[in-house]
């Protein structure tokens, strides 16, 4: 009975924290939702239309246009950067303003606090991802999602993973500079080199192997597989879909455990 | 009867080596209005931080209504409400949103949370501001918002860390009335304050903490009875240029219209009036100077200062010291 009441208490707390985070995303929509859509639209215009038309004339990506090839990668790029950015800025902001204490003094479990922030980041990432996907319809001749389940699950898992990354970054951050270091010097290079604009099979073997150490390659490829399955030439499928799921889930388990451990120890939030 | 708070041998050593708490013991009975006093950096906020799970303790035990925070921290937290010293709500959230959320974090279903936040916003006279962004509130309103937020889940033990610091007298008085009302309704209240007049008039029991140790923990009345000298203030009918000679009594002029006289315990006031009459000094009114506790506090802290001062810096390296 007691455990049930605690479960209910935590469930209500999780809903409350998720609502708080979603309200934040929607309240500052010109900062959270619009810019990624504009940036990605520019990618569609420059890389898809202008550069892509030349690539298509030179043989393209098999049966699909270059634009269709880069759409999944650009959606993933938006999902990754927005899930990370949302949690890192929201949780660090709470630390900075000290309103994280509202959560720390409450009976909510640390897992619920982590899940609440993750949920907020995932909502933003998926909203942005959906918007970017819808915009792509203006640049493709009717983009068809081949497997809704693979597409949706990869987007969900990827956003989950990077919200945890953002949370860990926010816990360790002591100043605003620390919030932008990882996105600028780690995430952006890994994303650009993660097969968004090209198939890693086009690289020399050495760089193909190096690329396989980049976890973003697995997410971009799995998402591309979900959208273009059956239409994408075999030689442009860089990663086996099962391997991709295993890698993504492994990262989620490891990062979630690390974040929870840090939260239990009060790293960055308790003296 | 279960105690509201039991602290045993609580110690806290910060990473820089500062010993903020050196093994304090403290008991607060259920229903009490308890004052925790001490100079800046004495360890008050550290002790409160540990009770509220905002600071990790180094050793010791904390029990809230019998619930050990090491065994069931969530269970202990459910009894607690905190009004912190600094404004720590989200400056970009609305007043009602802050209260609704806090209630939700304590597991109150949305409908009940909304009812509670309405109740406490009305009680704290913030209902008209419910849709206002919190950063747009005045200083006094922000203080009241923090009290409403701490009460929205109706804690059994309310801890207020200098709730009236820097607010005008009107807000201070209304805050006192609220704290008394909560206490009379059954909420145990622990108050830390720099205003000793506040502690003297509100708290039934007072503990004084200095250099991480409890140096006094007793009834306010017993504490005040330790005072050997009291100061009486005489408002004069006409201004005086020099301090009158009242024999054995130590006198001084606070201003030309106000004479202060120190009276030792057991001494009669009649002789003062006789001396004043002899010198044709007309007195309009007389009152006890409201700093009795302050004098005692300063004495105790100064006595304690004889102790080691190697830990006189806080965790941030800032110099401690000063007084209330």
């Amino acid at each position: 009975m007691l455990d049930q009441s605690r479960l209910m208490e935590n469930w209500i707390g999780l809903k409350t924290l998720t609502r708080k985070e979603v309200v934040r995303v929607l309240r500052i929509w010109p900062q959270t939702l619009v810019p990624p859509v504009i940036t990605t639209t520019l990618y569609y215009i420059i890389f898809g239309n202008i550069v892509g038309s030349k690539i298509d004339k030179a043989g393209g990506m098999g049966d699909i246009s270059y634009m269709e090839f880069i759409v999944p990668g650009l959606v993933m790029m938006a999902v990754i950067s927005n899930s990370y950015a949302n949690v890192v800025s929201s949780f660090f902001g709470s630390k900075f303003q000290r309103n994280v204490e509202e959560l720390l003094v409450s009976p909510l479990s640390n897992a619920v606090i982590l899940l609440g922030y993750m949920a907020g980041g995932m909502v933003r990432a998926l909203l942005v991802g959906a918007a970017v996907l819808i915009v792509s319809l203006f640049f493709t001749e009717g983009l068809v999602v081949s497997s809704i389940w693979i597409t949706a699950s990869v987007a969900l898992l990827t956003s989950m993973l990077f919200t945890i990354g953002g949370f860990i970054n926010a816990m360790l951050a002591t100043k605003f500079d620390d919030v932008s270091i990882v996105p600028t010097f780690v995430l952006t290079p890994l994303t650009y080199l993660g097969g968004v604009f090209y198939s890693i099979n086009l690289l020399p073997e050495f760089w193909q192997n190096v690329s396989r150490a980049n976890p973003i390659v697995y997410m971009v490829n799995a998402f591309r597989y979900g959208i273009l399955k059956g239409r994408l030439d075999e030689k442009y499928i860089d990663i086996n879909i099962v391997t991709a799921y295993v890698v993504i889930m492994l990262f989620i388990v490891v990062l979630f455990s690390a974040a929870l451990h840090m939260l239990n120890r009060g790293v960055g939030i308790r003296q | 009867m279960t105690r509201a708070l039991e602290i045993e041998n609580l110690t806290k050593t910060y990473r820089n080596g500062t010993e903020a708490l050196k093994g304090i013991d403290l008991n607060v009975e259920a229903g009490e209005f308890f004052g925790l006093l001490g100079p800046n950096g004495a360890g008050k906020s550290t002790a409160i931080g540990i009770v509220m799970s905002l600071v990790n303790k180094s050793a010791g035990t904390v029990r809230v209504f019998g619930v050990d925070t090491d065994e069931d921290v969530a269970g202990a937290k459910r009894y607690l409400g905190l009004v912190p010293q600094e404004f720590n709500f989200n400056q970009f959230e609305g007043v009602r949103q802050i209260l609704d959320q806090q209630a939700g974090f304590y597991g109150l279903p949305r409908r009940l949370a909304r009812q509670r936040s309405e109740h406490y916003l009305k009680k704290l006279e913030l209902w008209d501001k419910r849709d206002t962004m919190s950063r747009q509130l005045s200083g006094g309103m922000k203080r009241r918002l923090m009290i409403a937020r701490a009460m929205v889940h109706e804690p059994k033990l309310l801890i207020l860390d200098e709730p009236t610091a820097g607010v005008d007298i009107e807000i201070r008085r209304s805050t006192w009335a609220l704290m008394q009302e909560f206490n009379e309704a059954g909420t145990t209240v622990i108050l830390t304050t720099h205003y000793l007049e506040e502690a003297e008039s509100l708290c039934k029991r007072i503990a004084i903490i200095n250099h991480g140790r409890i140096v006094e923990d007793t009834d306010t009345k017993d504490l005040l009875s330790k005072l050997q000298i009291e100061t009486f203030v005489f408002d004069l009918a006409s201004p005086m240029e020099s301090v009158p000679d009242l024999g054995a009594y130590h006198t001084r002029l606070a201003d030309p219209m106000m004479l202060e006289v120190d009276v030792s315990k057991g001494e009669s006031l009649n002789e003062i009036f006789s001396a004043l009459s002899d010198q044709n000094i007309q007195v309009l009114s007389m009152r006890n100077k409201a700093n009795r506790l302050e004098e005692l506090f300063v004495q105790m802290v100064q006595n304690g200062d004889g102790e080691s001062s190697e830990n006189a810096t806080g965790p941030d390296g800032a110099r401690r010291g000063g007084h209330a």
Side-chain angles (χ1 to χ4, degrees), chain B residues 93-113:
Chain B
E93 287 178 345
V95 167
R96 182 160 199 177
Q97 187 191 353
I98 289 170
L99 257 66
D100 286 350
Q101 281 169 188
Q102 194 65 16
F105 296 153
Y106 281 84
L108 268 64
R110 184 123 178 104
R111 181 181 288 188
L112 180 58

Side-chain angles (χ1 to χ4, degrees), chain A residues 75-85 125 158-159 162-163 187 191 216 219-220:
Chain A
V75 173
M76 262 302 94
M77 196 159 88
V79 166
I80 289 168
S81 59
N82 282 279
S83 49
Y84 194 92
T158 303
S159 64
F162 283 94
T163 55
L187 277 189
T191 310
I216 292 177
M219 295 155 211
V220 167

Side-chain angles (χ1 to χ4, degrees), chain B residues 292-310:
Chain B
R292 297 179 301 160
L293 189 59
E294 188 164 315
E295 285 172 14
L296 190 66
F297 176 80
V298 171
Q299 279 173 28
M300 286 183 160
V301 168
Q302 281 172 347
N303 290 343
D305 278 346
E307 202 191 336
S308 67
S309 59
E310 73 273 27

Side-chain angles (χ1 to χ4, degrees), chain B residues 207-250:
Chain B
I208 296 177
I209 185 168
N210 193 28
H211 292 312
R213 292 188 203 285
I214 300 287
V215 293
E216 188 61 72
D217 179 3
T218 184
D219 279 359
T220 308
K221 279 181 188 168
D222 293 344
L223 194 61
L224 291 170
S225 70
K226 292 185 181 179
L227 262 179
Q228 295 303 309
I229 295 175
E230 282 192 77
T231 302
F232 289 88
V233 180
F234 295 88
D235 294 310
L236 307 176
S238 52
M240 296 191 73
E241 287 178 1
S242 59
V243 181
D245 182 8
L246 298 184
Y249 296 100
H250 184 249

Side-chain angles (χ1 to χ4, degrees), chain A residues 3 8 44 65 89 113 152-153 192 216 235-236:
Chain A
D3 287 341
M8 184 52 74
Y44 286 149
S65 66
S89 61
I113 293 174
S153 62
Y192 277 81
I216 292 177
K235 68 179 175 186
Y236 298 125

Side-chain angles (χ1 to χ4, degrees), chain A residues 126-144:
Chain A
L126 296 176
L127 281 177
V128 169
V132 169
L133 199 58
I134 289 166
V135 170
S136 76
L137 296 175
F138 294 101
F139 297 91
T140 54
E141 290 167 12
L143 187 75
V144 179

